[in-house]
Amino acid sequence: MKKEQSKNNKLPVLQASKNITVRFSEVDSMNIMWHGSYPLYFEDAREAFGLKFGIDYLTIFGNGYYAPLVDIEFHYKRPIVYGMTVRVDIVYRPTDAAKIIFDYKIYNVADDELMATGHSVQVFLDKSYQLVWNNPPFYEKWKTEHNLM
């Protein structure tokens, strides 16, 4: 479990990585990864992070909440092409708000070149699909366990 100190404060940095080989179904007619695949790669990274740090979707759901995406963005740096193996690095961004915020970087595994960056924000909804304004108790506990408070 990687826990480094953040450069901006004393909170640990929680991060995970996921290697993915670009499939034919994920590229367009120019052999470049289709823009709709970026959110899927970020999703794979969120799942890897969640399993590594105990904040996966089933844990969130099991505690009575949903965590839908409300904001996602990505920025191209270099073309990602069919057959390339990339590494998606995901970093949790601490916040006091009732949100889960991640930053992403996608690298070409062959030469460690930065291919894309991104960001996502998730909020909490209760089982009646109502927005939760305060951190759910399980999330507060998770933050405390990982020294993020």
PDB file of all heavy atoms in Angstrom, residues 56-94:
ATOM      1  N   ASP A  56     -14.232   0.233  -2.444  1.00  0.00           N
ATOM      2  CA  ASP A  56     -14.793  -0.199  -3.727  1.00  0.00           C
ATOM      3  C   ASP A  56     -16.306   0.038  -3.744  1.00  0.00           C
ATOM      4  O   ASP A  56     -16.917   0.351  -2.725  1.00  0.00           O
ATOM      5  CB  ASP A  56     -14.458  -1.670  -3.984  1.00  0.00           C
ATOM      6  CG  ASP A  56     -14.963  -2.564  -2.867  1.00  0.00           C
ATOM      7  OD1 ASP A  56     -14.298  -2.626  -1.805  1.00  0.00           O
ATOM      8  OD2 ASP A  56     -16.034  -3.174  -3.039  1.00  0.00           O
ATOM      9  N   TYR A  57     -16.885  -0.111  -4.925  1.00  0.00           N
ATOM     10  CA  TYR A  57     -18.310   0.183  -5.087  1.00  0.00           C
ATOM     11  C   TYR A  57     -19.212  -0.693  -4.230  1.00  0.00           C
ATOM     12  O   TYR A  57     -20.223  -0.223  -3.716  1.00  0.00           O
ATOM     13  CB  TYR A  57     -18.720   0.073  -6.558  1.00  0.00           C
ATOM     14  CG  TYR A  57     -18.153   1.192  -7.399  1.00  0.00           C
ATOM     15  CD1 TYR A  57     -17.298   0.931  -8.450  1.00  0.00           C
ATOM     16  CD2 TYR A  57     -18.466   2.512  -7.124  1.00  0.00           C
ATOM     17  CE1 TYR A  57     -16.772   1.955  -9.215  1.00  0.00           C
ATOM     18  CE2 TYR A  57     -17.948   3.548  -7.874  1.00  0.00           C
ATOM     19  CZ  TYR A  57     -17.099   3.269  -8.923  1.00  0.00           C
ATOM     20  OH  TYR A  57     -16.580   4.280  -9.669  1.00  0.00           O
ATOM     21  N   LEU A  58     -18.851  -1.959  -4.059  1.00  0.00           N
ATOM     22  CA  LEU A  58     -19.688  -2.821  -3.220  1.00  0.00           C
ATOM     23  C   LEU A  58     -19.637  -2.401  -1.759  1.00  0.00           C
ATOM     24  O   LEU A  58     -20.624  -2.530  -1.038  1.00  0.00           O
ATOM     25  CB  LEU A  58     -19.281  -4.286  -3.393  1.00  0.00           C
ATOM     26  CG  LEU A  58     -19.639  -4.893  -4.752  1.00  0.00           C
ATOM     27  CD1 LEU A  58     -19.152  -6.338  -4.840  1.00  0.00           C
ATOM     28  CD2 LEU A  58     -21.132  -4.807  -5.023  1.00  0.00           C
ATOM     29  N   THR A  59     -18.506  -1.872  -1.318  1.00  0.00           N
ATOM     30  CA  THR A  59     -18.411  -1.352   0.048  1.00  0.00           C
ATOM     31  C   THR A  59     -19.299  -0.120   0.201  1.00  0.00           C
ATOM     32  O   THR A  59     -20.038   0.014   1.184  1.00  0.00           O
ATOM     33  CB  THR A  59     -16.949  -1.001   0.398  1.00  0.00           C
ATOM     34  OG1 THR A  59     -16.174  -2.201   0.358  1.00  0.00           O
ATOM     35  CG2 THR A  59     -16.837  -0.354   1.772  1.00  0.00           C
ATOM     36  N   ILE A  60     -19.236   0.767  -0.769  1.00  0.00           N
ATOM     37  CA  ILE A  60     -20.076   1.969  -0.731  1.00  0.00           C
ATOM     38  C   ILE A  60     -21.549   1.571  -0.725  1.00  0.00           C
ATOM     39  O   ILE A  60     -22.333   2.028   0.117  1.00  0.00           O
ATOM     40  CB  ILE A  60     -19.748   2.897  -1.921  1.00  0.00           C
ATOM     41  CG1 ILE A  60     -18.311   3.438  -1.786  1.00  0.00           C
ATOM     42  CG2 ILE A  60     -20.758   4.038  -2.032  1.00  0.00           C
ATOM     43  CD1 ILE A  60     -17.782   4.132  -3.026  1.00  0.00           C
ATOM     44  N   PHE A  61     -21.924   0.675  -1.647  1.00  0.00           N
ATOM     45  CA  PHE A  61     -23.307   0.212  -1.750  1.00  0.00           C
ATOM     46  C   PHE A  61     -23.737  -0.513  -0.480  1.00  0.00           C
ATOM     47  O   PHE A  61     -24.847  -0.317   0.015  1.00  0.00           O
ATOM     48  CB  PHE A  61     -23.466  -0.686  -2.970  1.00  0.00           C
ATOM     49  CG  PHE A  61     -24.870  -1.160  -3.191  1.00  0.00           C
ATOM     50  CD1 PHE A  61     -25.820  -0.317  -3.734  1.00  0.00           C
ATOM     51  CD2 PHE A  61     -25.241  -2.452  -2.864  1.00  0.00           C
ATOM     52  CE1 PHE A  61     -27.124  -0.747  -3.937  1.00  0.00           C
ATOM     53  CE2 PHE A  61     -26.538  -2.896  -3.065  1.00  0.00           C
ATOM     54  CZ  PHE A  61     -27.486  -2.038  -3.598  1.00  0.00           C
ATOM     55  N   GLY A  62     -22.850  -1.347   0.063  1.00  0.00           N
ATOM     56  CA  GLY A  62     -23.155  -2.095   1.282  1.00  0.00           C
ATOM     57  C   GLY A  62     -23.385  -1.207   2.493  1.00  0.00           C
ATOM     58  O   GLY A  62     -24.020  -1.623   3.466  1.00  0.00           O
ATOM     59  N   ASN A  63     -22.877  -0.003   2.434  1.00  0.00           N
ATOM     60  CA  ASN A  63     -23.082   0.959   3.513  1.00  0.00           C
ATOM     61  C   ASN A  63     -24.279   1.866   3.259  1.00  0.00           C
ATOM     62  O   ASN A  63     -24.500   2.833   3.983  1.00  0.00           O
ATOM     63  CB  ASN A  63     -21.820   1.792   3.729  1.00  0.00           C
ATOM     64  CG  ASN A  63     -20.800   1.047   4.561  1.00  0.00           C
ATOM     65  OD1 ASN A  63     -20.913   0.991   5.782  1.00  0.00           O
ATOM     66  ND2 ASN A  63     -19.811   0.447   3.915  1.00  0.00           N
ATOM     67  N   GLY A  64     -25.028   1.584   2.194  1.00  0.00           N
ATOM     68  CA  GLY A  64     -26.272   2.301   1.950  1.00  0.00           C
ATOM     69  C   GLY A  64     -26.175   3.511   1.040  1.00  0.00           C
ATOM     70  O   GLY A  64     -27.059   4.376   1.069  1.00  0.00           O
ATOM     71  N   TYR A  65     -25.143   3.545   0.211  1.00  0.00           N
ATOM     72  CA  TYR A  65     -24.938   4.717  -0.638  1.00  0.00           C
ATOM     73  C   TYR A  65     -24.590   4.332  -2.072  1.00  0.00           C
ATOM     74  O   TYR A  65     -24.131   3.221  -2.344  1.00  0.00           O
ATOM     75  CB  TYR A  65     -23.800   5.597  -0.081  1.00  0.00           C
ATOM     76  CG  TYR A  65     -24.108   6.133   1.280  1.00  0.00           C
ATOM     77  CD1 TYR A  65     -23.750   5.421   2.418  1.00  0.00           C
ATOM     78  CD2 TYR A  65     -24.784   7.338   1.439  1.00  0.00           C
ATOM     79  CE1 TYR A  65     -24.051   5.900   3.681  1.00  0.00           C
ATOM     80  CE2 TYR A  65     -25.084   7.819   2.700  1.00  0.00           C
ATOM     81  CZ  TYR A  65     -24.718   7.101   3.822  1.00  0.00           C
ATOM     82  OH  TYR A  65     -25.029   7.569   5.066  1.00  0.00           O
ATOM     83  N   TYR A  66     -24.786   5.278  -2.958  1.00  0.00           N
ATOM     84  CA  TYR A  66     -24.280   5.218  -4.324  1.00  0.00           C
ATOM     85  C   TYR A  66     -23.219   6.315  -4.440  1.00  0.00           C
ATOM     86  O   TYR A  66     -23.242   7.285  -3.677  1.00  0.00           O
ATOM     87  CB  TYR A  66     -25.388   5.486  -5.345  1.00  0.00           C
ATOM     88  CG  TYR A  66     -26.562   4.546  -5.274  1.00  0.00           C
ATOM     89  CD1 TYR A  66     -27.805   4.994  -4.830  1.00  0.00           C
ATOM     90  CD2 TYR A  66     -26.441   3.223  -5.679  1.00  0.00           C
ATOM     91  CE1 TYR A  66     -28.900   4.137  -4.787  1.00  0.00           C
ATOM     92  CE2 TYR A  66     -27.530   2.370  -5.629  1.00  0.00           C
ATOM     93  CZ  TYR A  66     -28.750   2.825  -5.182  1.00  0.00           C
ATOM     94  OH  TYR A  66     -29.823   1.979  -5.140  1.00  0.00           O
ATOM     95  N   ALA A  67     -22.338   6.180  -5.427  1.00  0.00           N
ATOM     96  CA  ALA A  67     -21.308   7.209  -5.648  1.00  0.00           C
ATOM     97  C   ALA A  67     -21.197   7.500  -7.141  1.00  0.00           C
ATOM     98  O   ALA A  67     -20.220   7.138  -7.796  1.00  0.00           O
ATOM     99  CB  ALA A  67     -19.973   6.761  -5.072  1.00  0.00           C
ATOM    100  N   PRO A  68     -22.198   8.184  -7.710  1.00  0.00           N
ATOM    101  CA  PRO A  68     -22.163   8.467  -9.147  1.00  0.00           C
ATOM    102  C   PRO A  68     -21.133   9.546  -9.498  1.00  0.00           C
ATOM    103  O   PRO A  68     -20.823  10.420  -8.687  1.00  0.00           O
ATOM    104  CB  PRO A  68     -23.573   8.971  -9.443  1.00  0.00           C
ATOM    105  CG  PRO A  68     -24.013   9.589  -8.156  1.00  0.00           C
ATOM    106  CD  PRO A  68     -23.399   8.730  -7.077  1.00  0.00           C
ATOM    107  N   LEU A  69     -20.638   9.442 -10.720  1.00  0.00           N
ATOM    108  CA  LEU A  69     -19.760  10.484 -11.250  1.00  0.00           C
ATOM    109  C   LEU A  69     -20.593  11.712 -11.563  1.00  0.00           C
ATOM    110  O   LEU A  69     -21.673  11.614 -12.146  1.00  0.00           O
ATOM    111  CB  LEU A  69     -19.098  10.015 -12.539  1.00  0.00           C
ATOM    112  CG  LEU A  69     -17.941   9.047 -12.405  1.00  0.00           C
ATOM    113  CD1 LEU A  69     -17.609   8.432 -13.747  1.00  0.00           C
ATOM    114  CD2 LEU A  69     -16.729   9.735 -11.823  1.00  0.00           C
ATOM    115  N   VAL A  70     -20.090  12.886 -11.190  1.00  0.00           N
ATOM    116  CA  VAL A  70     -20.756  14.142 -11.533  1.00  0.00           C
ATOM    117  C   VAL A  70     -19.851  15.024 -12.383  1.00  0.00           C
ATOM    118  O   VAL A  70     -20.301  16.027 -12.938  1.00  0.00           O
ATOM    119  CB  VAL A  70     -21.240  14.909 -10.282  1.00  0.00           C
ATOM    120  CG1 VAL A  70     -22.339  14.121  -9.577  1.00  0.00           C
ATOM    121  CG2 VAL A  70     -20.091  15.225  -9.341  1.00  0.00           C
ATOM    122  N   ASP A  71     -18.573  14.651 -12.471  1.00  0.00           N
ATOM    123  CA  ASP A  71     -17.641  15.410 -13.291  1.00  0.00           C
ATOM    124  C   ASP A  71     -16.514  14.476 -13.700  1.00  0.00           C
ATOM    125  O   ASP A  71     -15.991  13.727 -12.871  1.00  0.00           O
ATOM    126  CB  ASP A  71     -17.075  16.593 -12.498  1.00  0.00           C
ATOM    127  CG  ASP A  71     -16.180  17.492 -13.329  1.00  0.00           C
ATOM    128  OD1 ASP A  71     -16.385  17.597 -14.553  1.00  0.00           O
ATOM    129  OD2 ASP A  71     -15.263  18.109 -12.748  1.00  0.00           O
ATOM    130  N   ILE A  72     -16.168  14.499 -14.987  1.00  0.00           N
ATOM    131  CA  ILE A  72     -15.036  13.730 -15.472  1.00  0.00           C
ATOM    132  C   ILE A  72     -14.438  14.484 -16.653  1.00  0.00           C
ATOM    133  O   ILE A  72     -15.166  15.044 -17.473  1.00  0.00           O
ATOM    134  CB  ILE A  72     -15.425  12.281 -15.862  1.00  0.00           C
ATOM    135  CG1 ILE A  72     -14.184  11.452 -16.151  1.00  0.00           C
ATOM    136  CG2 ILE A  72     -16.413  12.251 -17.001  1.00  0.00           C
ATOM    137  CD1 ILE A  72     -14.438   9.953 -16.165  1.00  0.00           C
ATOM    138  N   GLU A  73     -13.125  14.536 -16.678  1.00  0.00           N
ATOM    139  CA  GLU A  73     -12.449  15.199 -17.782  1.00  0.00           C
ATOM    140  C   GLU A  73     -11.162  14.454 -18.092  1.00  0.00           C
ATOM    141  O   GLU A  73     -10.612  13.763 -17.236  1.00  0.00           O
ATOM    142  CB  GLU A  73     -12.148  16.661 -17.456  1.00  0.00           C
ATOM    143  CG  GLU A  73     -11.212  16.841 -16.285  1.00  0.00           C
ATOM    144  CD  GLU A  73     -11.008  18.296 -15.920  1.00  0.00           C
ATOM    145  OE1 GLU A  73     -12.004  19.024 -15.779  1.00  0.00           O
ATOM    146  OE2 GLU A  73      -9.840  18.690 -15.776  1.00  0.00           O
ATOM    147  N   PHE A  74     -10.732  14.581 -19.322  1.00  0.00           N
ATOM    148  CA  PHE A  74      -9.445  14.003 -19.710  1.00  0.00           C
ATOM    149  C   PHE A  74      -8.810  14.904 -20.752  1.00  0.00           C
ATOM    150  O   PHE A  74      -9.490  15.646 -21.456  1.00  0.00           O
ATOM    151  CB  PHE A  74      -9.579  12.558 -20.209  1.00  0.00           C
ATOM    152  CG  PHE A  74     -10.586  12.361 -21.299  1.00  0.00           C
ATOM    153  CD1 PHE A  74     -10.206  12.410 -22.631  1.00  0.00           C
ATOM    154  CD2 PHE A  74     -11.913  12.108 -20.995  1.00  0.00           C
ATOM    155  CE1 PHE A  74     -11.134  12.217 -23.639  1.00  0.00           C
ATOM    156  CE2 PHE A  74     -12.841  11.913 -21.998  1.00  0.00           C
ATOM    157  CZ  PHE A  74     -12.452  11.976 -23.326  1.00  0.00           C
ATOM    158  N   HIS A  75      -7.489  14.853 -20.782  1.00  0.00           N
ATOM    159  CA  HIS A  75      -6.713  15.701 -21.679  1.00  0.00           C
ATOM    160  C   HIS A  75      -5.704  14.849 -22.421  1.00  0.00           C
ATOM    161  O   HIS A  75      -4.898  14.157 -21.797  1.00  0.00           O
ATOM    162  CB  HIS A  75      -5.990  16.802 -20.885  1.00  0.00           C
ATOM    163  CG  HIS A  75      -6.935  17.623 -20.065  1.00  0.00           C
ATOM    164  ND1 HIS A  75      -7.632  18.680 -20.588  1.00  0.00           N
ATOM    165  CD2 HIS A  75      -7.320  17.519 -18.779  1.00  0.00           C
ATOM    166  CE1 HIS A  75      -8.402  19.197 -19.649  1.00  0.00           C
ATOM    167  NE2 HIS A  75      -8.234  18.503 -18.544  1.00  0.00           N
ATOM    168  N   TYR A  76      -5.772  14.893 -23.740  1.00  0.00           N
ATOM    169  CA  TYR A  76      -4.845  14.148 -24.581  1.00  0.00           C
ATOM    170  C   TYR A  76      -3.466  14.795 -24.539  1.00  0.00           C
ATOM    171  O   TYR A  76      -3.343  16.017 -24.587  1.00  0.00           O
ATOM    172  CB  TYR A  76      -5.307  14.167 -26.043  1.00  0.00           C
ATOM    173  CG  TYR A  76      -6.680  13.615 -26.285  1.00  0.00           C
ATOM    174  CD1 TYR A  76      -7.769  14.471 -26.425  1.00  0.00           C
ATOM    175  CD2 TYR A  76      -6.887  12.249 -26.414  1.00  0.00           C
ATOM    176  CE1 TYR A  76      -9.035  13.973 -26.679  1.00  0.00           C
ATOM    177  CE2 TYR A  76      -8.152  11.746 -26.668  1.00  0.00           C
ATOM    178  CZ  TYR A  76      -9.221  12.615 -26.796  1.00  0.00           C
ATOM    179  OH  TYR A  76     -10.459  12.115 -27.037  1.00  0.00           O
ATOM    180  N   LYS A  77      -2.449  13.978 -24.503  1.00  0.00           N
ATOM    181  CA  LYS A  77      -1.071  14.460 -24.620  1.00  0.00           C
ATOM    182  C   LYS A  77      -0.406  13.841 -25.854  1.00  0.00           C
ATOM    183  O   LYS A  77       0.267  14.522 -26.604  1.00  0.00           O
ATOM    184  CB  LYS A  77      -0.248  14.106 -23.371  1.00  0.00           C
ATOM    185  CG  LYS A  77      -0.822  14.635 -22.076  1.00  0.00           C
ATOM    186  CD  LYS A  77      -0.817  16.129 -22.029  1.00  0.00           C
ATOM    187  CE  LYS A  77      -1.365  16.624 -20.690  1.00  0.00           C
ATOM    188  NZ  LYS A  77      -1.655  18.032 -20.714  1.00  0.00           N
ATOM    189  N   ARG A  78      -0.612  12.534 -26.033  1.00  0.00           N
ATOM    190  CA  ARG A  78      -0.049  11.771 -27.147  1.00  0.00           C
ATOM    191  C   ARG A  78      -1.080  10.721 -27.557  1.00  0.00           C
ATOM    192  O   ARG A  78      -1.869  10.283 -26.736  1.00  0.00           O
ATOM    193  CB  ARG A  78       1.235  11.052 -26.722  1.00  0.00           C
ATOM    194  CG  ARG A  78       2.335  11.928 -26.145  1.00  0.00           C
ATOM    195  CD  ARG A  78       3.165  12.634 -27.155  1.00  0.00           C
ATOM    196  NE  ARG A  78       3.760  11.654 -28.067  1.00  0.00           N
ATOM    197  CZ  ARG A  78       4.055  11.921 -29.317  1.00  0.00           C
ATOM    198  NH1 ARG A  78       3.846  13.099 -29.823  1.00  0.00           N
ATOM    199  NH2 ARG A  78       4.596  11.004 -30.085  1.00  0.00           N
ATOM    200  N   PRO A  79      -1.066  10.268 -28.818  1.00  0.00           N
ATOM    201  CA  PRO A  79      -2.031   9.250 -29.239  1.00  0.00           C
ATOM    202  C   PRO A  79      -1.760   7.888 -28.586  1.00  0.00           C
ATOM    203  O   PRO A  79      -0.619   7.449 -28.515  1.00  0.00           O
ATOM    204  CB  PRO A  79      -1.841   9.152 -30.749  1.00  0.00           C
ATOM    205  CG  PRO A  79      -0.794  10.123 -31.137  1.00  0.00           C
ATOM    206  CD  PRO A  79      -0.248  10.766 -29.918  1.00  0.00           C
ATOM    207  N   ILE A  80      -2.825   7.287 -28.127  1.00  0.00           N
ATOM    208  CA  ILE A  80      -2.788   5.914 -27.624  1.00  0.00           C
ATOM    209  C   ILE A  80      -3.354   5.050 -28.736  1.00  0.00           C
ATOM    210  O   ILE A  80      -4.427   5.340 -29.270  1.00  0.00           O
ATOM    211  CB  ILE A  80      -3.617   5.782 -26.331  1.00  0.00           C
ATOM    212  CG1 ILE A  80      -3.014   6.665 -25.225  1.00  0.00           C
ATOM    213  CG2 ILE A  80      -3.699   4.327 -25.891  1.00  0.00           C
ATOM    214  CD1 ILE A  80      -3.851   6.739 -23.966  1.00  0.00           C
ATOM    215  N   VAL A  81      -2.636   3.999 -29.124  1.00  0.00           N
ATOM    216  CA  VAL A  81      -3.019   3.220 -30.297  1.00  0.00           C
ATOM    217  C   VAL A  81      -3.255   1.755 -29.948  1.00  0.00           C
ATOM    218  O   VAL A  81      -2.832   1.264 -28.902  1.00  0.00           O
ATOM    219  CB  VAL A  81      -1.956   3.345 -31.420  1.00  0.00           C
ATOM    220  CG1 VAL A  81      -1.838   4.796 -31.885  1.00  0.00           C
ATOM    221  CG2 VAL A  81      -0.615   2.813 -30.970  1.00  0.00           C
ATOM    222  N   TYR A  82      -3.920   1.078 -30.878  1.00  0.00           N
ATOM    223  CA  TYR A  82      -4.227  -0.345 -30.733  1.00  0.00           C
ATOM    224  C   TYR A  82      -2.979  -1.149 -30.409  1.00  0.00           C
ATOM    225  O   TYR A  82      -1.930  -0.971 -31.013  1.00  0.00           O
ATOM    226  CB  TYR A  82      -4.866  -0.857 -32.028  1.00  0.00           C
ATOM    227  CG  TYR A  82      -5.035  -2.354 -32.069  1.00  0.00           C
ATOM    228  CD1 TYR A  82      -5.910  -2.986 -31.203  1.00  0.00           C
ATOM    229  CD2 TYR A  82      -4.306  -3.132 -32.958  1.00  0.00           C
ATOM    230  CE1 TYR A  82      -6.066  -4.359 -31.232  1.00  0.00           C
ATOM    231  CE2 TYR A  82      -4.460  -4.499 -32.999  1.00  0.00           C
ATOM    232  CZ  TYR A  82      -5.336  -5.105 -32.124  1.00  0.00           C
ATOM    233  OH  TYR A  82      -5.480  -6.470 -32.147  1.00  0.00           O
ATOM    234  N   GLY A  83      -3.095  -2.033 -29.422  1.00  0.00           N
ATOM    235  CA  GLY A  83      -2.011  -2.923 -29.030  1.00  0.00           C
ATOM    236  C   GLY A  83      -1.059  -2.336 -28.000  1.00  0.00           C
ATOM    237  O   GLY A  83      -0.279  -3.076 -27.393  1.00  0.00           O
ATOM    238  N   MET A  84      -1.105  -1.041 -27.784  1.00  0.00           N
ATOM    239  CA  MET A  84      -0.232  -0.394 -26.795  1.00  0.00           C
ATOM    240  C   MET A  84      -0.685  -0.811 -25.392  1.00  0.00           C
ATOM    241  O   MET A  84      -1.873  -0.919 -25.122  1.00  0.00           O
ATOM    242  CB  MET A  84      -0.325   1.126 -26.944  1.00  0.00           C
ATOM    243  CG  MET A  84       0.538   1.916 -25.986  1.00  0.00           C
ATOM    244  SD  MET A  84       0.291   3.721 -26.190  1.00  0.00           S
ATOM    245  CE  MET A  84       1.189   4.014 -27.701  1.00  0.00           C
ATOM    246  N   THR A  85       0.268  -1.049 -24.518  1.00  0.00           N
ATOM    247  CA  THR A  85      -0.055  -1.287 -23.115  1.00  0.00           C
ATOM    248  C   THR A  85       0.206   0.008 -22.364  1.00  0.00           C
ATOM    249  O   THR A  85       1.288   0.586 -22.466  1.00  0.00           O
ATOM    250  CB  THR A  85       0.774  -2.437 -22.524  1.00  0.00           C
ATOM    251  OG1 THR A  85       0.497  -3.630 -23.258  1.00  0.00           O
ATOM    252  CG2 THR A  85       0.438  -2.671 -21.053  1.00  0.00           C
ATOM    253  N   VAL A  86      -0.821   0.448 -21.647  1.00  0.00           N
ATOM    254  CA  VAL A  86      -0.719   1.682 -20.884  1.00  0.00           C
ATOM    255  C   VAL A  86      -0.900   1.383 -19.399  1.00  0.00           C
ATOM    256  O   VAL A  86      -1.490   0.374 -19.020  1.00  0.00           O
ATOM    257  CB  VAL A  86      -1.746   2.741 -21.346  1.00  0.00           C
ATOM    258  CG1 VAL A  86      -1.488   3.161 -22.783  1.00  0.00           C
ATOM    259  CG2 VAL A  86      -3.172   2.249 -21.173  1.00  0.00           C
ATOM    260  N   ARG A  87      -0.380   2.282 -18.594  1.00  0.00           N
ATOM    261  CA  ARG A  87      -0.562   2.217 -17.139  1.00  0.00           C
ATOM    262  C   ARG A  87      -1.372   3.435 -16.730  1.00  0.00           C
ATOM    263  O   ARG A  87      -0.995   4.563 -17.025  1.00  0.00           O
ATOM    264  CB  ARG A  87       0.790   2.216 -16.429  1.00  0.00           C
ATOM    265  CG  ARG A  87       0.675   2.078 -14.901  1.00  0.00           C
ATOM    266  CD  ARG A  87       2.030   2.201 -14.210  1.00  0.00           C
ATOM    267  NE  ARG A  87       2.480   3.591 -14.180  1.00  0.00           N
ATOM    268  CZ  ARG A  87       3.545   4.060 -14.820  1.00  0.00           C
ATOM    269  NH1 ARG A  87       4.309   3.272 -15.541  1.00  0.00           N
ATOM    270  NH2 ARG A  87       3.866   5.345 -14.730  1.00  0.00           N
ATOM    271  N   VAL A  88      -2.486   3.181 -16.068  1.00  0.00           N
ATOM    272  CA  VAL A  88      -3.316   4.268 -15.558  1.00  0.00           C
ATOM    273  C   VAL A  88      -2.996   4.425 -14.074  1.00  0.00           C
ATOM    274  O   VAL A  88      -3.237   3.514 -13.291  1.00  0.00           O
ATOM    275  CB  VAL A  88      -4.822   3.979 -15.754  1.00  0.00           C
ATOM    276  CG1 VAL A  88      -5.651   5.174 -15.300  1.00  0.00           C
ATOM    277  CG2 VAL A  88      -5.132   3.607 -17.191  1.00  0.00           C
ATOM    278  N   ASP A  89      -2.403   5.557 -13.726  1.00  0.00           N
ATOM    279  CA  ASP A  89      -2.129   5.870 -12.320  1.00  0.00           C
ATOM    280  C   ASP A  89      -3.275   6.715 -11.801  1.00  0.00           C
ATOM    281  O   ASP A  89      -3.706   7.681 -12.454  1.00  0.00           O
ATOM    282  CB  ASP A  89      -0.817   6.656 -12.173  1.00  0.00           C
ATOM    283  CG  ASP A  89       0.410   5.810 -12.487  1.00  0.00           C
ATOM    284  OD1 ASP A  89       0.303   4.571 -12.554  1.00  0.00           O
ATOM    285  OD2 ASP A  89       1.491   6.412 -12.659  1.00  0.00           O
ATOM    286  N   ILE A  90      -3.767   6.363 -10.628  1.00  0.00           N
ATOM    287  CA  ILE A  90      -4.871   7.084 -10.011  1.00  0.00           C
ATOM    288  C   ILE A  90      -4.426   7.547  -8.631  1.00  0.00           C
ATOM    289  O   ILE A  90      -3.819   6.787  -7.886  1.00  0.00           O
ATOM    290  CB  ILE A  90      -6.132   6.203  -9.937  1.00  0.00           C
ATOM    291  CG1 ILE A  90      -7.305   6.946  -9.278  1.00  0.00           C
ATOM    292  CG2 ILE A  90      -5.853   4.882  -9.232  1.00  0.00           C
ATOM    293  CD1 ILE A  90      -8.630   6.201  -9.351  1.00  0.00           C
ATOM    294  N   VAL A  91      -4.721   8.802  -8.321  1.00  0.00           N
ATOM    295  CA  VAL A  91      -4.354   9.395  -7.036  1.00  0.00           C
ATOM    296  C   VAL A  91      -5.604   9.997  -6.408  1.00  0.00           C
ATOM    297  O   VAL A  91      -6.329  10.768  -7.053  1.00  0.00           O
ATOM    298  CB  VAL A  91      -3.268  10.481  -7.198  1.00  0.00           C
ATOM    299  CG1 VAL A  91      -2.949  11.139  -5.859  1.00  0.00           C
ATOM    300  CG2 VAL A  91      -2.014   9.895  -7.825  1.00  0.00           C
ATOM    301  N   TYR A  92      -5.842   9.629  -5.157  1.00  0.00           N
ATOM    302  CA  TYR A  92      -6.961  10.191  -4.394  1.00  0.00           C
ATOM    303  C   TYR A  92      -6.613  11.611  -3.967  1.00  0.00           C
ATOM    304  O   TYR A  92      -5.524  11.870  -3.466  1.00  0.00           O
ATOM    305  CB  TYR A  92      -7.222   9.321  -3.159  1.00  0.00           C
ATOM    306  CG  TYR A  92      -8.254   9.873  -2.219  1.00  0.00           C
ATOM    307  CD1 TYR A  92      -9.606   9.671  -2.463  1.00  0.00           C
ATOM    308  CD2 TYR A  92      -7.881  10.579  -1.089  1.00  0.00           C
ATOM    309  CE1 TYR A  92     -10.562  10.174  -1.594  1.00  0.00           C
ATOM    310  CE2 TYR A  92      -8.829  11.083  -0.212  1.00  0.00           C
ATOM    311  CZ  TYR A  92     -10.159  10.880  -0.474  1.00  0.00           C
ATOM    312  OH  TYR A  92     -11.108  11.375   0.388  1.00  0.00           O
ATOM    313  N   ARG A  93      -7.548  12.540  -4.175  1.00  0.00           N
ATOM    314  CA  ARG A  93      -7.339  13.921  -3.763  1.00  0.00           C
ATOM    315  C   ARG A  93      -8.210  14.199  -2.527  1.00  0.00           C
ATOM    316  O   ARG A  93      -9.435  14.261  -2.624  1.00  0.00           O
ATOM    317  CB  ARG A  93      -7.707  14.885  -4.883  1.00  0.00           C
ATOM    318  CG  ARG A  93      -7.314  16.315  -4.531  1.00  0.00           C
ATOM    319  CD  ARG A  93      -7.830  17.342  -5.476  1.00  0.00           C
ATOM    320  NE  ARG A  93      -7.417  17.136  -6.854  1.00  0.00           N
ATOM    321  CZ  ARG A  93      -7.848  17.900  -7.846  1.00  0.00           C
ATOM    322  NH1 ARG A  93      -8.701  18.881  -7.620  1.00  0.00           N
ATOM    323  NH2 ARG A  93      -7.442  17.679  -9.070  1.00  0.00           N
ATOM    324  N   PRO A  94      -7.581  14.355  -1.362  1.00  0.00           N
ATOM    325  CA  PRO A  94      -8.359  14.589  -0.134  1.00  0.00           C
ATOM    326  C   PRO A  94      -9.184  15.875  -0.207  1.00  0.00           C
ATOM    327  O   PRO A  94      -8.758  16.874  -0.776  1.00  0.00           O
ATOM    328  CB  PRO A  94      -7.281  14.714   0.951  1.00  0.00           C
ATOM    329  CG  PRO A  94      -6.077  14.039   0.390  1.00  0.00           C
ATOM    330  CD  PRO A  94      -6.150  14.273  -1.095  1.00  0.00           C
TER     331      PRO A  94
END
